[in-house]
Amino acid sequence: MLLTGYYNVRKENLMNKELRAVADNIIDAAIKAVLPDEAVKKTLNDRKFDGKVILVAVGKAAWQMAKAASDCLGDRINEGIVITKYGHVKEPIERIECFEAGHPVPDENSFKATQAAIEMVSGLNKNDTVLFLLSGGGSALFEKPKITGEELQDITNQLLACGADIVEINTIRKRLSEVKGGRFAKLCEPAHVLSIVLSDILGDPLDMIASGPACADTTTCEEAKHIVEKYNLNLSEMANKLMDIETPKKLDNVTTFINGSVRELCSAVSRECLQYGYEPVMLTDQLCCQAKEAGSFLASIAKTHCKSGKKLAYIAGGETVVNITGHGKGGRNQEIALSAAEGIKGMSNAAVFSIGSDGTDGPTDAAGGYSDGDTAGVLKNKGIDIFEVLKNNDAYNALKLTEGLIITGPTGTNVNDVSVLLISD
Ligand SMILES: O=C(O)[C@H](O)CO
């Protein structure tokens, strides 16, 4: 079954149907290859548990990870809880209560579900295990704030708008929370926490992924206070005081396995490109520049190699950023595809696609975008200027007109983004 929505839409605007079909097939297969199921099962297979097993799964991939654990351990799991984003629970899982909650800003359901998880892990003893399945998105979904919910939402909005990176954002989040920065593992004591983590942060800093609820914190009060000052954050007296309280620096009850990251996504894309006869060239798995720059860069590579007579696939994994200057609709992957469109204009053998592996790019229903040599011309004929669209951050509406949106729905995984330039012979 194809995850991508391309086959459900009209295609007459697209010049290169073949490249689009290849792109869709690569995306479909690569996402399946980075679903967390096999990695979760591999970690759990043959593992012996003494006492109770309580499953707590948190993040955008929580349902998928919990389902894999449940398929593997069956009734060895006593009870459990899934806390994931709205629309991400696929079906009930036996013995496991599934909650959906707010992302990227936590909401009442995040708080309610987290309280239920805390109650589930309290009163356990030394022989019991908390099976903690963690993926990105967890910072918003898993939260019991030390300040009011309203203030936490306000500070989250300030952090998301001020240009702070995820490490800075999560350094602050940890101090405002009863569960982040290793505090959830403390709440599980004396039970053992077996933590399986899917990374959505470049370089896999364990204590930063979903703000590290079961990981000793490496950040300090000084760093937190510096971030407050740097971005001129508006904090209440209470929130300011919390910046002075240290998080756990050592945890004795946790074992952690990292089971997937953007490297696996890039490798999966690479393997799929080979299947279609495209020689893969891995540019980076640490892409972190402006989305627009990444798109222009891929287009420049196309200019150099489009006459090589070879089938080539240039792959860049990571997570780009968008500086919001307009009021349009879009996401970083859609901006990459659209900004590449101008540079590959008129090339009959080049296409660029870019997707978020979780299936959500920005606040849209698209996972990312696709453009080829025809995209810029189609938009021009409709009187649309790509530079103006990018200035207004409106890539979604432009790509919709060229049938360049890639729609997968929630995928069940979350290992950053991948962008690909395809050049056919
Ligand atoms: O939840 C979060 O904090 C981000 O997705 C990074 O892991």
PDB file of all heavy atoms in Angstrom, residues 60 103 135-140 166 170 173 200-201 208-211 414, ligand 1:
ATOM      1  N   LYS A  60       5.489  11.364  18.957  1.00  0.00           N
ATOM      2  CA  LYS A  60       4.710  11.189  17.724  1.00  0.00           C
ATOM      3  C   LYS A  60       4.709   9.743  17.245  1.00  0.00           C
ATOM      4  O   LYS A  60       3.828   9.325  16.519  1.00  0.00           O
ATOM      5  CB  LYS A  60       5.276  12.101  16.633  1.00  0.00           C
ATOM      6  CG  LYS A  60       5.012  13.573  16.879  1.00  0.00           C
ATOM      7  CD  LYS A  60       5.341  14.361  15.630  1.00  0.00           C
ATOM      8  CE  LYS A  60       5.699  15.788  15.956  1.00  0.00           C
ATOM      9  NZ  LYS A  60       6.337  16.469  14.842  1.00  0.00           N
ATOM     10  N   HIS A 103       0.294  19.409  20.359  1.00  0.00           N
ATOM     11  CA  HIS A 103       1.660  19.561  19.876  1.00  0.00           C
ATOM     12  C   HIS A 103       1.666  20.648  18.805  1.00  0.00           C
ATOM     13  O   HIS A 103       0.791  20.641  17.960  1.00  0.00           O
ATOM     14  CB  HIS A 103       2.162  18.237  19.262  1.00  0.00           C
ATOM     15  CG  HIS A 103       3.563  18.344  18.748  1.00  0.00           C
ATOM     16  ND1 HIS A 103       3.862  18.870  17.512  1.00  0.00           N
ATOM     17  CD2 HIS A 103       4.739  18.034  19.335  1.00  0.00           C
ATOM     18  CE1 HIS A 103       5.155  18.878  17.348  1.00  0.00           C
ATOM     19  NE2 HIS A 103       5.721  18.378  18.437  1.00  0.00           N
ATOM     20  N   SER A 135       9.777   9.186  21.720  1.00  0.00           N
ATOM     21  CA  SER A 135      10.092   9.750  20.400  1.00  0.00           C
ATOM     22  C   SER A 135       9.839  11.254  20.427  1.00  0.00           C
ATOM     23  O   SER A 135       9.216  11.783  21.348  1.00  0.00           O
ATOM     24  CB  SER A 135       9.244   9.068  19.311  1.00  0.00           C
ATOM     25  OG  SER A 135       7.878   9.141  19.646  1.00  0.00           O
ATOM     26  N   GLY A 136      10.324  11.924  19.404  1.00  0.00           N
ATOM     27  CA  GLY A 136      10.207  13.380  19.305  1.00  0.00           C
ATOM     28  C   GLY A 136       8.752  13.827  19.320  1.00  0.00           C
ATOM     29  O   GLY A 136       7.850  13.104  18.884  1.00  0.00           O
ATOM     30  N   GLY A 137       8.557  15.028  19.824  1.00  0.00           N
ATOM     31  CA  GLY A 137       7.194  15.520  20.014  1.00  0.00           C
ATOM     32  C   GLY A 137       6.816  15.379  21.473  1.00  0.00           C
ATOM     33  O   GLY A 137       5.875  16.007  21.965  1.00  0.00           O
ATOM     34  N   GLY A 138       7.595  14.552  22.198  1.00  0.00           N
ATOM     35  CA  GLY A 138       7.283  14.242  23.586  1.00  0.00           C
ATOM     36  C   GLY A 138       7.309  15.446  24.504  1.00  0.00           C
ATOM     37  O   GLY A 138       6.612  15.471  25.515  1.00  0.00           O
ATOM     38  N   SER A 139       8.099  16.460  24.158  1.00  0.00           N
ATOM     39  CA  SER A 139       8.179  17.621  25.064  1.00  0.00           C
ATOM     40  C   SER A 139       6.816  18.274  25.261  1.00  0.00           C
ATOM     41  O   SER A 139       6.489  18.716  26.362  1.00  0.00           O
ATOM     42  CB  SER A 139       9.145  18.671  24.519  1.00  0.00           C
ATOM     43  OG  SER A 139      10.451  18.206  24.611  1.00  0.00           O
ATOM     44  N   ALA A 140       6.043  18.376  24.187  1.00  0.00           N
ATOM     45  CA  ALA A 140       4.721  19.000  24.311  1.00  0.00           C
ATOM     46  C   ALA A 140       3.692  18.011  24.856  1.00  0.00           C
ATOM     47  O   ALA A 140       2.798  18.383  25.618  1.00  0.00           O
ATOM     48  CB  ALA A 140       4.266  19.519  22.950  1.00  0.00           C
ATOM     49  N   ILE A 166      16.294  23.821  19.286  1.00  0.00           N
ATOM     50  CA  ILE A 166      15.607  22.825  20.122  1.00  0.00           C
ATOM     51  C   ILE A 166      16.359  22.559  21.434  1.00  0.00           C
ATOM     52  O   ILE A 166      15.751  22.286  22.471  1.00  0.00           O
ATOM     53  CB  ILE A 166      15.324  21.515  19.329  1.00  0.00           C
ATOM     54  CG1 ILE A 166      14.389  20.581  20.093  1.00  0.00           C
ATOM     55  CG2 ILE A 166      16.590  20.796  18.935  1.00  0.00           C
ATOM     56  CD1 ILE A 166      12.994  21.092  20.276  1.00  0.00           C
ATOM     57  N   ASN A 170      14.503  23.163  24.919  1.00  0.00           N
ATOM     58  CA  ASN A 170      14.323  22.073  25.882  1.00  0.00           C
ATOM     59  C   ASN A 170      15.084  22.313  27.183  1.00  0.00           C
ATOM     60  O   ASN A 170      14.701  21.794  28.235  1.00  0.00           O
ATOM     61  CB  ASN A 170      14.679  20.732  25.232  1.00  0.00           C
ATOM     62  CG  ASN A 170      13.591  20.308  24.246  1.00  0.00           C
ATOM     63  OD1 ASN A 170      12.576  21.005  24.116  1.00  0.00           O
ATOM     64  ND2 ASN A 170      13.787  19.205  23.545  1.00  0.00           N
ATOM     65  N   ARG A 173      12.450  24.154  28.983  1.00  0.00           N
ATOM     66  CA  ARG A 173      11.307  23.280  29.290  1.00  0.00           C
ATOM     67  C   ARG A 173      11.599  22.367  30.482  1.00  0.00           C
ATOM     68  O   ARG A 173      10.742  22.126  31.330  1.00  0.00           O
ATOM     69  CB  ARG A 173      11.007  22.386  28.077  1.00  0.00           C
ATOM     70  CG  ARG A 173      10.191  23.062  26.981  1.00  0.00           C
ATOM     71  CD  ARG A 173      10.208  22.190  25.753  1.00  0.00           C
ATOM     72  NE  ARG A 173       9.082  22.430  24.867  1.00  0.00           N
ATOM     73  CZ  ARG A 173       9.001  21.940  23.632  1.00  0.00           C
ATOM     74  NH1 ARG A 173       9.978  21.193  23.141  1.00  0.00           N
ATOM     75  NH2 ARG A 173       7.951  22.181  22.892  1.00  0.00           N
ATOM     76  N   ASP A 200      14.956  12.415  17.062  1.00  0.00           N
ATOM     77  CA  ASP A 200      14.614  13.416  16.040  1.00  0.00           C
ATOM     78  C   ASP A 200      15.464  14.674  16.222  1.00  0.00           C
ATOM     79  O   ASP A 200      15.077  15.754  15.799  1.00  0.00           O
ATOM     80  CB  ASP A 200      13.113  13.765  16.085  1.00  0.00           C
ATOM     81  CG  ASP A 200      12.736  14.578  17.309  1.00  0.00           C
ATOM     82  OD1 ASP A 200      13.418  14.471  18.342  1.00  0.00           O
ATOM     83  OD2 ASP A 200      11.748  15.345  17.232  1.00  0.00           O
ATOM     84  N   ILE A 201      16.629  14.517  16.890  1.00  0.00           N
ATOM     85  CA  ILE A 201      17.536  15.670  16.998  1.00  0.00           C
ATOM     86  C   ILE A 201      18.892  15.262  16.419  1.00  0.00           C
ATOM     87  O   ILE A 201      19.397  14.167  16.720  1.00  0.00           O
ATOM     88  CB  ILE A 201      17.709  16.143  18.458  1.00  0.00           C
ATOM     89  CG1 ILE A 201      16.333  16.446  19.098  1.00  0.00           C
ATOM     90  CG2 ILE A 201      18.582  17.393  18.507  1.00  0.00           C
ATOM     91  CD1 ILE A 201      16.397  17.107  20.463  1.00  0.00           C
ATOM     92  N   MET A 208      18.190  15.577  25.319  1.00  0.00           N
ATOM     93  CA  MET A 208      17.393  16.619  24.661  1.00  0.00           C
ATOM     94  C   MET A 208      16.174  16.060  23.931  1.00  0.00           C
ATOM     95  O   MET A 208      15.188  16.760  23.713  1.00  0.00           O
ATOM     96  CB  MET A 208      18.258  17.389  23.661  1.00  0.00           C
ATOM     97  CG  MET A 208      19.241  18.312  24.341  1.00  0.00           C
ATOM     98  SD  MET A 208      18.334  19.552  25.289  1.00  0.00           S
ATOM     99  CE  MET A 208      19.629  20.196  26.310  1.00  0.00           C
ATOM    100  N   ILE A 209      16.244  14.797  23.517  1.00  0.00           N
ATOM    101  CA  ILE A 209      15.131  14.224  22.759  1.00  0.00           C
ATOM    102  C   ILE A 209      13.899  14.192  23.673  1.00  0.00           C
ATOM    103  O   ILE A 209      13.935  13.594  24.757  1.00  0.00           O
ATOM    104  CB  ILE A 209      15.491  12.807  22.246  1.00  0.00           C
ATOM    105  CG1 ILE A 209      16.713  12.889  21.318  1.00  0.00           C
ATOM    106  CG2 ILE A 209      14.296  12.165  21.535  1.00  0.00           C
ATOM    107  CD1 ILE A 209      17.422  11.575  21.094  1.00  0.00           C
ATOM    108  N   ALA A 210      12.867  14.905  23.243  1.00  0.00           N
ATOM    109  CA  ALA A 210      11.642  15.061  24.054  1.00  0.00           C
ATOM    110  C   ALA A 210      11.965  15.546  25.469  1.00  0.00           C
ATOM    111  O   ALA A 210      11.271  15.222  26.434  1.00  0.00           O
ATOM    112  CB  ALA A 210      10.843  13.766  24.082  1.00  0.00           C
ATOM    113  N   SER A 211      13.040  16.309  25.607  1.00  0.00           N
ATOM    114  CA  SER A 211      13.494  16.883  26.894  1.00  0.00           C
ATOM    115  C   SER A 211      13.903  15.827  27.914  1.00  0.00           C
ATOM    116  O   SER A 211      13.861  16.070  29.128  1.00  0.00           O
ATOM    117  CB  SER A 211      12.437  17.817  27.507  1.00  0.00           C
ATOM    118  OG  SER A 211      12.105  18.840  26.615  1.00  0.00           O
ATOM    119  N   ASN A 414       9.460   9.087  13.484  1.00  0.00           N
ATOM    120  CA  ASN A 414       9.832  10.502  13.635  1.00  0.00           C
ATOM    121  C   ASN A 414      11.353  10.605  13.723  1.00  0.00           C
ATOM    122  O   ASN A 414      11.916  10.624  14.813  1.00  0.00           O
ATOM    123  CB  ASN A 414       9.173  11.074  14.901  1.00  0.00           C
ATOM    124  CG  ASN A 414       9.371  12.581  15.023  1.00  0.00           C
ATOM    125  OD1 ASN A 414       9.843  13.236  14.094  1.00  0.00           O
ATOM    126  ND2 ASN A 414       9.025  13.121  16.167  1.00  0.00           N
TER     127      ASN A 414
HETATM  128  O1  LIG B   1       9.781  16.810  21.638  1.00  0.00           O
HETATM  129  C1  LIG B   1      10.785  17.452  21.420  1.00  0.00           C
HETATM  130  O2  LIG B   1      11.392  18.072  22.299  1.00  0.00           O
HETATM  131  C2  LIG B   1      11.369  17.521  20.046  1.00  0.00           C
HETATM  132  O3  LIG B   1      10.655  16.759  19.125  1.00  0.00           O
HETATM  133  C3  LIG B   1      12.801  17.082  20.068  1.00  0.00           C
HETATM  134  O4  LIG B   1      12.921  15.765  20.482  1.00  0.00           O
END
